[in-house]
Amino acid sequence: MQPDPGADEPRPSGRPGPSTTVPWFRPIEPTDIDVCIDIFDAAQQELAGRLSQPWSPADRPIMGRLLAHLIEGNRACAWIAEAGDGAPASRGPLAFAVAIRRGSLWFLSFLFVRPEAQAAGLGRRLLLRCLAEGQKAIDRPIPTDAEVFLATCVDALQPVSTGLYAGYGIVPRTPLLTMVGRPVAGSLPQLPSSVTATPFEEVGGAEAGHDVLVRAIERLDRQLVGYERPTDHRFWRRDGRIGVLYRGPKAEGLAYGYVARSGRLGPICVRDTALAPAVLGDLFGRVEPAGAYQVVVPGAAERALVSLLHAGLRFEGSPALYCASRSATDFERYLPAGFALL
Ligand SMILES: CC(C)(COP(=O)(O)OP(=O)(O)OC[C@H]1O[C@@H](n2cnc3c(N)ncnc32)[C@H](O)[C@@H]1OP(=O)(O)O)[C@@H](O)C(=O)NCCC(=O)NCCS
């Protein structure tokens, strides 16, 4: 695909588009990942400074692996915008966006614009480009297919992104709270004796076991998350997260969850919310991180949230908001992996 100088689309506010340079759009390549992280850090640092919030740079290896996974086979929905006329000497990266499709979900994972290029229409143009999934008519209307729903996560402190997406029907629906700390010993219940917890490797060791694992996870994802995502499960496992399948007396899948050696939990999916505190307790017991555990908890996941608070975990930072054109994920029963990949 050739790089494509962007034409200025009309803006709802009637404000003029970028006046100095016409940005140059091209698909993100794996070699652009470092530059994307630079843009992300610059935008986040400036936002935090403006709001007098603490800021720390992205963990480059973790974010690099995540971006590599998201852009793999996804060039039509992963764009970088550069200043200049496309000639290498005049280029300067200004912004990037990555969206992914999973079944009926279109999800915006990243959209970041360098501070000096913000508020000039570039974020909207990258959003439209991702929405149009790389088709040449970037001003084509957003997908009307009733089966497709659009979603993303925003920082609750950021009215610009929240307002930008809401204009396309991607409206705030569920707060997502980051909780950190170490649970007080014995504060979370044990798994009931009727529930068996098995690490994925042990379920999936033999071929038949692998089928059992995949079927159990796919059913939980379909019913509770709203779509299947085998490539993401492969990514989490390859990335070293420990996956655990929880089964009932008839070997039926009741829940699954992941914990990373860093102490990060998620995603976690439970058919019955009453099982959530024990699943969390089991996952905490599987790794001993150097620092605190970290888990993203939707406000709707009341059982998980209250039990974690009582166990001693605390909220950190401002909440994120899950924004969507319609509700398809059962956040009472689902704790996401993060904000860029639910
Ligand atoms: C958020 C961000 C990606 C938007 O990109 P941008 O190029 O600055 O935004 P644009 O100029 O294309 O569009 C901004 C739109 O936000 C909307 N907006 C801005 N302030 C708003 C407010 N207070 N309420 C509602 N909507 C608002 C408007 O619709 C505006 O478009 P308009 O001027 O045409 O009406 C960019 O500013 C950024 O990277 N910010 C810092 C990092 C960040 O917050 N990223 C998102 C994390 S959730």
Side-chain angles (χ1 to χ4, degrees):
M1 194 180 305
Q2 286 302 305
D4 174 9
D8 280 338
E9 294 88 19
R11 309 178 70 199
S13 63
R15 280 170 41 201
S19 53
T20 47
T21 55
V22 176
W24 185 260
F25 297 100
R26 61 179 175 80
I28 299 177
E29 302 290 345
T31 48
D32 294 316
I33 285 176
D34 261 343
V35 163
C36 291
I37 300 175
D38 291 344
I39 296 171
F40 174 86
D41 271 348
Q44 292 288 65
Q45 185 176 17
E46 191 276 337
L47 180 66
R50 209 174 343 128
L51 300 171
S52 306
Q53 295 286 314
W55 172 81
S56 47
D59 182 319
R60 280 189 175 254
I62 291 180
M63 188 168 166
R65 289 198 298 273
L66 176 61
L67 274 168
H69 168 63
L70 296 177
I71 66 173
E72 197 180 345
N74 187 31
R75 284 165 60 93
C77 272
W79 292 96
I80 191 159
E82 299 199 33
D85 58 8
S90 70
R91 286 186 195 167
L94 296 175
F96 78 102
V98 180
I100 53 174
R101 274 298 293 270
R102 299 287 185 264
S104 53
L105 169 72
W106 175 98
F107 185 80
L108 182 68
S109 295
F110 288 99
L111 172 55
F112 287 88
V113 178
R114 275 195 187 282
E116 61 275 18
Q118 288 174 10
L122 190 49
R124 184 187 297 285
R125 294 167 72 185
L126 276 167
L127 175 66
L128 286 172
R129 203 164 262 269
C130 288
L131 275 168
E133 291 186 66
Q135 297 193 15
K136 62 177 182 201
I138 59 165
D139 57 351
R140 148 182 173 248
I142 58 174
T144 49
D145 180 352
E147 289 304 307
V148 177
F149 70 103
L150 315 174
T152 192
C153 293
V154 298
D155 188 322
L157 286 177
Q158 175 49 301
V160 180
S161 49
T162 311
L164 175 60
Y165 310 143
Y168 296 93
I170 310 170
V171 296
R173 293 185 187 271
T174 306
L176 301 173
L177 300 112
T178 299
M179 299 187 76
V180 297
R182 284 178 164 269
V184 172
S187 58
L188 291 165
Q190 304 264 318
L191 288 168
S193 56
S194 57
V195 175
T196 317
T198 318
F200 285 179
E201 280 60 37
E202 289 169 31
V203 189
E207 208 170 295
H210 183 74
D211 286 350
V212 168
L213 176 67
V214 169
R215 269 203 307 278
I217 291 176
E218 281 181 353
R219 195 170 303 132
L220 286 162
D221 278 349
R222 246 191 336 270
Q223 292 173 349
L224 305 176
V225 185
Y227 48 89
E228 290 171 18
R229 48 194 182 157
T231 57
D232 297 331
H233 286 290
R234 270 199 295 281
F235 166 69
W236 288 315
R237 293 176 70 176
R238 256 197 340 245
D239 207 40
R241 294 196 192 196
I242 300 163
V244 183
L245 179 63
Y246 300 88
R247 286 183 285 183
K250 295 180 186 145
E252 71 278 21
L254 300 177
Y256 72 76
Y258 287 87
V259 58
R261 290 182 208 290
S262 64
R264 181 161 199 139
L265 274 68
I268 298 169
C269 217
V270 290
R271 200 177 289 287
D272 179 354
T273 58
L275 195 57
V279 164
L280 286 161
D282 180 73
L283 290 169
F284 284 128
R286 286 176 187 271
V287 299
E288 188 54 49
Y293 292 96
Q294 188 179 343
V295 54
V296 175
V297 188
E302 181 188 332
R303 293 294 279 267
L305 192 147
V306 174
S307 65
L308 288 171
L309 261 185
H310 289 174
L313 271 76
R314 290 292 173 257
F315 297 129
E316 188 176 76
S318 56
L321 299 173
Y322 173 76
C323 304
S325 59
R326 73 177 157 83
S327 243
T329 300
D330 183 346
F331 282 113
E332 275 184 59
R333 294 173 177 75
Y334 182 62
L335 277 55
F339 306 123
L341 181 63
L342 278 190

